């Protein structure tokens, strides 16, 4: 973007913004914008933006796009962003709403321009993961510019610029008036641009999708996983069996039973007794999950992003902003990492006081530490301290620490907040200058000499007195001794990858977002976010394994089944289909399916990866009602067996039974991949003497 042109635009736009603030009606605002458009359109040639540079990486489109060739005749909105930035995340709902109101046939095209703050954000695969994680559907490219919205006219001419978040009203006003203005001038082309190939459609099915956080209950027998990409919470046994599925697979805000409720990209979770609290990040809510009544309720937030930096209202009346983690404190306090306002908040679960505070009634939701300014400022007075997108919390209630440990992601540091007086102190990472948020890297050492890169999670091990850190953008797990302030790498190669290992240093992760320590200190569970897995580090054997998350046959009837997205995964478009001959069957008969899959010579199943089979139909759900439709593939040495019993009353005579299989394996030269196959078995249902019996086993064979 030409700096002089953008500077010229801002000079022209400044009087308009002042006039809009004084306008008394929407009609007046619209008239002011149209008059402004007439003035800048005269200077279209001088305000013409340069085309996109060749060689840029593009996502959500099949090929590179030319601003002046492919988008001529369109109003174009450029969103300059970096994917770790909470403020950039806050404007995504505005962009989604804009794209729903105006399509390319209306004349609007939205393009995201990614420019990295951290080195890890310059890696294309990591940008791809962010596009999937935040459900971005407009095209993306990499270019060096910081987050700003720029609206261009049909000649590629600069029209408006909006910096920061909180401009939804003007964004919609400017866009709608620009479309109106240029349509009346007959400069808008209403033809559609070539179809977009969304990157999210290439993602293979997986039981977990971008899990953000994981916690373990005090007994060590139960884990709670925020399955962020599936918008749900999973409660699983320590061996990975799903006990409860809460919410999902769609996003939204709805309280109620486990199969009825909805979340929107949940992050932090905390469990105590039979109660789970959830940081429902993109709903800007704190939710309560009651495992006794199987019910979800809202305890803080109003469902829209808040800008209040003080708080103090009852939870359900208090607006909050992007809560990213939660942790139980003593005396009935739930601590909240409020990433959106760069603060630490508290939700009073019972009447009590906070350090340096007065008595508060139960349900109060209030700021505890942080001014709200995005900075790395330590201070003895908690309200004068500054955080930069706090994203992970760990409570150490015992002496000598008695503090909250905070993963302060945008300052790339670990901080502490005293539970006695609220003082905020530095532990490791970051920089002495509180305004410098660019002191990051991958350096072990002590105190300020340590360099981290956007850490998102912390966990305190009371048995060893060690703080574990998810150094997310370095793809590592590190340990910190709070007394000596020494930080060392525990696991990870430093490169994004997905390899369980015979040793910690041979294992690889991809942007791990959260972690928790088992009560006895032996196991460390890691939410390996971009690998869609929970990895398990054994402190005795020094080995890393993958927790196999599988459905349970003994869970609650109402919520133990995997949601539709998992029970019926969407196979990749390239999946081969084996068409079988029609099979005559009778109501009540049991079909025995024998799945025999063969890998290439020398290949082996990837240990711990979620290989599985599933049954599905298209338009004939009655065929599989009440039957097992999903199973894990643990070995291919012996065939897998499935059974389907036809109901006594079949509403259709010619249904089709479909079988899908997804297999993760590695070849002899250590190339790992996922392959899939489907089988289509047409059925012809006729009453007959064979009813209530079985038919001969049906072989389903395929070699990858």
């Amino acid at each position: 973007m030409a700096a002089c042109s953008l500077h010229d635009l801002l000079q022209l736009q400044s009087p308009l913004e002042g006039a809009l603030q004084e306008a008394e009606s929407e009609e007046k605002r619209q008239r002011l914008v149209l008059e402004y458009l007439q003035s800048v359109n005269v200077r279209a040639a001088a305000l013409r933006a340069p085309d996109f540079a060749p060689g840029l990486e593009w996502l959500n489109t099949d090929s590179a796009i030319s601003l002046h060739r492919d988008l001529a005749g369109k109003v174009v909105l450029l969103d300059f962003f970096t994917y770790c930035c909470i403020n950039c995340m806050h404007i995504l709902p505005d962009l989604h709403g804009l794209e729903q109101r105006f399509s390319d046939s209306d004349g609007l095209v939205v393009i995201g321009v990614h420019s990295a703050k951290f080195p890890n954000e310059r890696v294309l695969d990591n940008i791809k993961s962010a596009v999937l994680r935040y459900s971005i559907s407009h095209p993306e490219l990499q270019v060096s510019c910081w987050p700003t919205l720029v609206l261009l006219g049909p000649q590629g001419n600069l029209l408006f610029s909006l910096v920061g978040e909180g401009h939804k009203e003007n964004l919609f006003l400017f866009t709608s008036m620009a479309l109106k203005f240029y349509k009346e001038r007959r400069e808008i082309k209403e033809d559609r641009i070539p179809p977009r190939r969304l990157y999210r459609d290439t993602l293979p099915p997986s039981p977990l999708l971008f899990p953000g956080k994981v916690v373990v209950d005090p007994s060590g027998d139960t884990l709670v996983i925020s399955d962020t990409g599936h918008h749900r919470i999973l409660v699983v046994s320590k061996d990975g069996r799903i006990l409860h599925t809460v919410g999902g697979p769609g996003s939204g805000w709805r309280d109620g039973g486990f199969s009825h409720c909805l979340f929107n990209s949940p992050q932090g979770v905390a469990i105590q007794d039979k109660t789970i609290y959830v940081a429902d990040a993109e709903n800007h809510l704190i939710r309560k999950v009651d495992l006794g009544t199987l019910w979800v309720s809202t305890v803080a937030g109003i469902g829209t992003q808040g800008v209040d930096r003080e708080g103090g209202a009852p939870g359900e009346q208090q607006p909050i902003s992007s809560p990213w983690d939660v942790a139980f404190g003593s005396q009935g306090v739930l601590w909240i990492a409020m990433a959106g306002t760069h603060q630490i908040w508290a939700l009073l679960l019972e009447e009590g006081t906070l350090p340096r505070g007065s008595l508060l009634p139960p349900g109060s939701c209030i700021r505890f530490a942080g001014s709200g300014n995005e900075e790395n400022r330590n201070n003895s007075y908690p309200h004068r301290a500054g955080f930069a997108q706090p994203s992970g919390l760990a409570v150490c209630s015992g002496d000598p620490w008695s503090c909250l440990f905070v993963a302060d992601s945008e300052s790339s540091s670990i901080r502490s907040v005293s539970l006695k007086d609220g003082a905020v102190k530095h532990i490791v990472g970051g920089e002495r200058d509180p305004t410098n948020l660019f002191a990051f890297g991958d350096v072990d050492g002590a105190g300020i000499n340590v360099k981290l890169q956007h850490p998102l999670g912390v966990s305190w091990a009371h048995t060893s007195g060690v703080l574990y850190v998810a150094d997310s953008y370095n793809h590592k797990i590190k340990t910190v001794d709070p007394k000596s302030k020494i930080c060392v790498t525990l696991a990870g190669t430093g490169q994004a990858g997905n390899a369980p290992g015979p040793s910690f240093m041979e294992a690889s992760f991809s942007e791990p977002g959260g972690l928790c320590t088992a009560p006895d200190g032996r196991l460390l569970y890691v939410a390996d976010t971009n690998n869609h897995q929970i990895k398990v580090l054994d402190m005795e054997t020094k080995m890393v394994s993958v927790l196999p998350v599988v459905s349970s046959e003994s869970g609650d009837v109402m919520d133990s089944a995997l949601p539709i997205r998992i029970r019926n995964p969407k196979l990749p478009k390239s999946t081969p289909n084996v068409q079988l001959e029609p099979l005559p069957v009778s109501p009540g008969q049991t079909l025995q399916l024998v799945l025999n899959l063969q890998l290439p010579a020398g290949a082996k199943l990837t240990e711990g990866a979620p290989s599985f089979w599933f049954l599905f139909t298209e338009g004939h759900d009655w065929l599989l009602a009440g039957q097992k439709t999903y199973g894990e593939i643990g070995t291919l040495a012996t065939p897998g067996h499935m059974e389907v019993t036809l109901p006594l009353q079949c509403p259709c005579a010619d249904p089709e039974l479909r079988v899908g299989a997804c297999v993760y394996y590695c070849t002899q030269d250590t190339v790992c991949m996922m392959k899939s196959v489907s089988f289509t078995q047409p059925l012809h249902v006729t009453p007959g003497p064979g009813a209530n019996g079985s038919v001969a086993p049906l072989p389903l064979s395929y070699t990858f």
Side-chain angles (χ1 to χ4, degrees):
M1 190 64 64
C4 58
S5 296
L6 190 56
H7 176 72
D8 293 342
L9 175 70
L10 293 174
Q11 285 186 323
L12 293 171
Q13 187 178 322
S14 181
L16 170 66
E17 293 176 344
L20 288 174
Q21 291 179 353
E22 297 177 1
E24 298 176 352
S25 67
E26 185 62 23
E27 182 181 354
K28 174 68 172 175
R29 287 167 54 82
Q30 292 178 2
R31 187 164 63 251
L32 287 169
V33 174
L34 289 174
E35 292 172 355
Y36 166 83
L37 285 168
Q38 289 174 350
S39 67
V40 295
N41 191 61
V42 174
R43 309 186 187 192
L47 293 174
R48 193 169 189 256
D51 209 337
F52 301 123
L56 299 175
E57 298 282 0
W58 289 78
L59 300 178
N60 285 339
T61 182
D62 285 320
S63 59
I65 294 175
S66 166
L67 179 63
H68 300 306
R69 182 184 67 248
D70 302 320
L71 300 179
K74 300 291 186 182
V75 171
V76 179
L77 180 66
L78 301 179
D79 169 30
F80 296 97
F81 76 105
T82 179
Y83 74 75
C84 73
C85 167
I86 193 68
N87 309 91
C88 302
M89 297 178 203
H90 285 164
I91 69 170
L92 288 177
D94 298 347
L95 300 183
H96 293 327
L98 196 68
E99 290 179 294
Q100 289 174 355
R101 180 174 297 185
F102 305 109
S103 68
D104 58 346
S105 61
D106 296 317
L108 177 68
V109 176
V110 180
I111 293 181
V113 185
H114 184 267
S115 55
K117 170 184 175 179
F118 294 99
N120 180 71
E121 296 171 335
R122 301 189 184 106
V123 179
L124 182 61
D125 283 345
N126 299 334
I127 301 173
K128 290 180 178 179
S129 293
V131 167
L132 291 168
R133 197 182 318 163
Y134 302 123
S135 300
I136 296 171
S137 58
H138 44 264
E140 305 291 328
L141 68 157
Q142 293 177 280
V143 72
S144 296
C145 188
W146 273 101
T148 295
L149 294 176
V150 176
L151 197 68
L152 306 178
Q155 301 174 46
N157 50 309
L158 296 164
L159 299 179
F160 301 98
S161 177
L162 296 169
V163 179
E165 59 175 299
H167 301 295
K168 180 179 180 180
E169 185 177 350
N170 280 350
L171 173 63
F172 277 69
L173 174 64
F174 293 166
T175 304
S176 61
M177 289 299 99
L179 291 170
K180 173 181 172 65
F181 177 79
Y182 285 107
K183 280 182 179 179
E184 291 177 350
R185 295 173 60 88
R186 300 184 182 277
E187 294 185 34
I188 293 293
K189 294 181 180 179
E190 297 183 352
D191 57 309
R192 303 200 65 133
I193 61 175
R196 290 173 292 179
R197 179 176 55 87
L198 298 184
Y199 181 66
R200 67 181 179 222
D201 292 339
T202 68
L203 189 70
S206 173
L208 297 175
L209 186 64
F210 298 109
K213 304 289 184 182
V214 58
V215 296
V216 61
D217 78 340
S219 72
D221 295 330
T222 303
L223 298 173
V224 181
I225 303 168
S226 57
D227 190 8
T228 307
H230 287 141
H231 309 288
R232 64 179 184 171
I233 303 301
L234 293 183
V235 182
V236 306
S237 64
K238 61 183 179 182
D239 60 359
R241 290 178 299 108
I242 295 177
L243 306 175
H244 300 276
T245 300
V246 189
S251 63
W253 173 23
R254 188 166 63 207
D255 291 343
F258 285 4
S259 60
H260 177 77
C261 65
L262 292 174
F263 298 86
N264 192 353
S265 299
Q267 284 287 341
V269 283
I271 182 171
Q272 192 173 79
D273 299 325
K274 288 186 173 294
T275 302
I276 300 168
Y277 285 89
V278 180
D280 194 2
E282 293 192 19
N283 273 332
H284 310 287
L285 300 171
I286 302 298
R287 313 290 290 280
K288 177 182 177 182
V289 179
D290 191 320
L291 297 179
T293 62
L294 305 181
W295 194 261
V296 175
S297 57
T298 298
V299 294
I302 61 173
T304 57
Q305 182 192 345
V307 295
D308 184 2
R309 297 182 176 187
E310 300 290 339
E316 294 181 27
Q317 301 173 23
Q318 176 62 57
I320 60 177
S321 180
S322 299
W324 217 260
D325 202 6
V326 288
F328 283 109
S330 58
Q331 300 176 340
V333 176
L334 183 75
W335 299 109
I336 306 168
M338 203 71 74
T341 55
H342 313 290
Q343 295 171 315
I344 306 301
W345 282 48
L347 176 66
L348 278 293
L349 305 179
E350 57 188 54
E351 184 180 71
T353 60
L354 300 179
R356 302 194 183 203
S358 56
L359 186 67
L360 295 169
S364 298
C365 189
I366 190 168
R367 180 264 302 259
F368 173 52
S371 64
N373 298 325
E374 186 177 9
E375 54 187 6
N376 179 18
R377 188 178 299 278
N378 302 301
N379 201 291
S380 298
Y381 295 91
H383 291 181
R384 296 180 184 177
F387 295 91
Q389 206 170 309
S391 301
L393 296 176
V395 175
C396 175
S397 56
D399 290 330
W401 308 116
S402 186
C403 70
L404 272 173
F405 291 110
V406 181
D408 200 33
S409 61
E410 279 293 281
S411 70
S412 295
S413 67
I414 305 300
R415 324 272 292 281
S416 69
V417 184
S418 171
L419 297 178
K420 296 179 178 179
D421 59 13
V424 177
K425 299 180 180 180
H426 170 268
I427 303 293
V428 296
E431 168 62 60
R432 288 188 174 89
D433 178 358
T435 64
N436 181 6
L437 303 181
F438 289 80
F440 50 78
D442 184 7
V443 180
D444 292 351
I448 203 72
N449 296 320
V450 171
K451 291 296 173 276
L452 309 172
Q453 190 180 176
H454 201 73
L456 290 173
V458 283
S459 177
W460 175 251
H462 66 89
T463 55
S464 58
V466 168
L467 184 69
Y468 293 104
V469 177
D471 192 4
S472 304
Y473 283 7
N474 283 325
H475 316 290
K476 287 183 174 182
I477 306 302
K478 297 184 177 181
T479 62
V480 173
D481 177 358
K483 184 177 181 180
S484 64
K485 296 190 175 183
I486 291 177
C487 175
V488 297
T489 297
L490 174 70
T493 62
Q495 300 294 320
N498 184 17
S503 72
F504 285 174
M505 302 309 293
E506 294 179 73
S508 57
F509 307 86
S510 183
E511 293 191 17
L515 69 178
C516 66
T517 313
D520 62 4
R522 173 169 177 173
L523 301 180
L524 182 69
Y525 298 95
V526 177
D528 195 6
T529 303
N530 284 359
N531 283 326
H532 319 294
Q533 295 173 342
I534 302 299
K535 284 196 167 78
V536 186
L537 282 65
D538 190 314
M539 298 300 158
E540 292 187 7
T541 66
K542 306 300 180 184
M543 296 182 63
V544 179
S545 60
V546 175
L547 181 73
V549 178
V550 296
S551 60
S552 171
E553 297 298 319
S554 58
D556 302 321
V557 174
M558 67 180 298
D559 75 327
S560 62
L562 290 169
I564 292 174
R565 186 166 184 172
I566 300 299
R567 283 188 287 129
N568 300 307
K570 184 177 180 181
L571 293 170
K573 294 181 180 179
S574 59
T575 299
N577 179 66
V578 179
Q579 184 72 34
L580 304 173
E581 293 295 323
L583 179 69
V585 293
S586 299
Q589 278 190 324
T590 297
L591 309 181
Q592 297 182 3
L593 310 174
V594 181
L595 183 63
N596 188 9
L597 303 177
Q598 299 291 326
L599 299 179
K604 295 181 180 181
L605 286 179
T606 304
E607 185 179 353
S611 299
F612 57 91
W613 59 261
F614 61 100
L615 306 177
F616 64 107
T617 64
E618 295 183 0
H620 303 291
D621 293 346
W622 54 268
L623 185 61
L624 299 175
Q627 306 196 57
K628 182 176 180 179
T629 61
Y630 181 98
E632 182 185 13
I633 298 176
T635 178
L636 296 182
T638 57
H641 294 268
M642 299 158 274
E643 288 189 351
V644 176
T645 299
L646 274 71
L648 296 177
Q649 299 294 327
C650 297
C652 174
D654 297 293
E656 283 189 342
L657 175 64
R658 304 286 300 277
V659 181
C662 294
V663 176
Y664 293 79
Y665 66 88
C666 297
T667 61
Q668 283 181 317
D669 54 0
T670 69
V671 176
C672 297
M673 63 193 73
M674 188 281 291
K675 293 291 185 178
S676 57
V677 64
S678 67
F679 301 85
T680 300
Q681 176 62 72
L683 303 176
H684 182 61
V685 183
T686 56
N692 298 314
S694 298
V695 299
L698 303 175
L700 306 175
S701 301
Y702 187 81
T703 299
F704 292 106

